[in-house]
Amino acid sequence: MARGGGRRTAVAAAALGSLMAVTVLSACGGPSGDGADSRASGPPGEGRNGVASDPTRIPGVGDGFQRRIPGDSRQVVVVYGDGRDSADSTVVFYTKQGSAWHRARSWAAHNGTKGWTTDHHENDKRSPVGVFTLSDAGGVLPDPDPAPGAGLPYSRSADIAAPRWWAKAYWHDFDYVIAIDYNRVKGTPPNDPTRPEGTSKGGSIWLHMDHGSGTSACVSLPKQAMEYLLRTLDPDRHPVVVMGDKAHLKA
């Protein structure tokens, strides 16, 4: 896929080091699993063949959230939570061509262990409901995007790794991460500890590798999903994530 836009591939600065790792881990992490691809039921507003009833709208997303999607956005990751108190969700990737949204891929996923909230706070074990930009990525592994100079800026750093006092099954959670721009500074590595709205509002909310159950607040996806998104998300297409339980998203 031909894409423009600049990419900076960098190793996170040593000065941030262990402080960033500790801050990051307060938001993400959990048990491990293989993360099956796709769930039985599609998003609300889609027929059995996956076609939306109104292609100019993203299925299952109400007027309030539709209006919060930037007009120049051409890539949207939607996290459809199964329920307000559920850790299970479905992630669907949509692209916009002309005035129509097209469903490109979908995967089974997980969110916070206690579900969703419109008023997220540190350690509440719920994922924040909302529309957020996607500006930066990183991980322990090298950037899977084979096209240099394209895609989200990617910061590779061992400091992002899950701590080794976690069970071994959890160690690969942060092999790939995409920062969700909730209470963070855009243009910085995902594990930058800066919290513009204060530490009580939480932070380090990421898309990251799935581990088979709920997270502390992040959204976790299978490895193949993370690789696909890292190869596909394009800053020039102004990607965003729309996330929440299905009832909130429809409101």
Side-chain angles (χ1 to χ4, degrees):
M1 166 181 214
R3 295 176 288 158
R7 171 192 293 275
R8 53 176 176 79
T9 300
V11 176
L16 295 174
S18 59
L19 173 61
M20 290 199 299
V22 170
T23 304
V24 165
L25 297 173
S26 66
C28 295
S32 180
D34 58 4
D37 183 28
S38 81
R39 294 194 185 279
S41 59
E46 279 192 358
R48 291 184 179 180
N49 60 358
V51 176
S53 55
D54 180 355
T56 65
R57 297 174 59 87
I58 294 177
V61 177
D63 290 343
F65 286 97
Q66 296 273 357
R67 286 192 294 267
R68 292 170 62 185
I69 298 172
D72 57 0
S73 179
R74 294 294 181 269
Q75 294 180 325
V76 174
V77 178
V78 185
V79 185
Y80 297 95
D82 281 7
R84 182 182 182 277
D85 300 321
S86 173
D88 294 327
S89 53
T90 300
V91 169
V92 182
F93 179 60
Y94 294 95
T95 63
K96 194 172 189 180
Q97 301 172 27
S99 62
W101 289 102
H102 299 268
R103 176 177 176 169
R105 298 287 181 91
S106 66
W107 308 273
H110 292 95
N111 49 265
T113 55
K114 293 186 177 181
W116 297 89
T117 180
T118 56
D119 186 23
H120 175 66
H121 285 80
E122 186 78 6
N123 296 321
D124 65 7
K125 307 300 181 184
R126 293 181 180 271
S127 296
V129 175
V131 179
F132 309 100
T133 53
L134 299 172
S135 305
D136 302 282
V140 177
L141 297 179
D143 187 350
D145 190 339
L152 297 178
Y154 189 94
S155 299
R156 185 185 183 190
S157 173
D159 290 331
I160 295 178
R164 290 309 185 251
W165 64 79
W166 286 5
K168 187 174 182 179
Y170 312 163
W171 288 0
H172 295 287
D173 280 10
F174 310 140
D175 281 358
Y176 296 126
V177 302
I178 298 170
I180 294 170
D181 291 334
Y182 169 89
N183 198 19
R184 70 177 300 270
V185 177
K186 298 180 185 180
T188 62
N191 55 349
D192 186 324
T194 307
R195 303 285 180 264
E197 299 179 42
T199 57
S200 66
K201 295 294 290 182
S204 297
I205 310 297
W206 296 347
L207 303 176
H208 68 68
M209 300 270 282
D210 190 59
H211 45 246
S213 65
T215 70
S216 291
C218 297
V219 174
S220 59
L221 299 96
K223 181 178 182 180
Q224 67 269 26
M226 289 300 299
E227 290 175 334
Y228 174 84
L229 291 174
L230 287 167
R231 291 193 299 262
T232 306
L233 292 175
D234 180 357
D236 285 353
R237 298 185 181 186
H238 308 283
V240 300
V241 60
V242 179
M243 53 194 280
D245 59 281
K246 292 176 183 177
H248 267 115
L249 291 183
K250 286 193 297 184

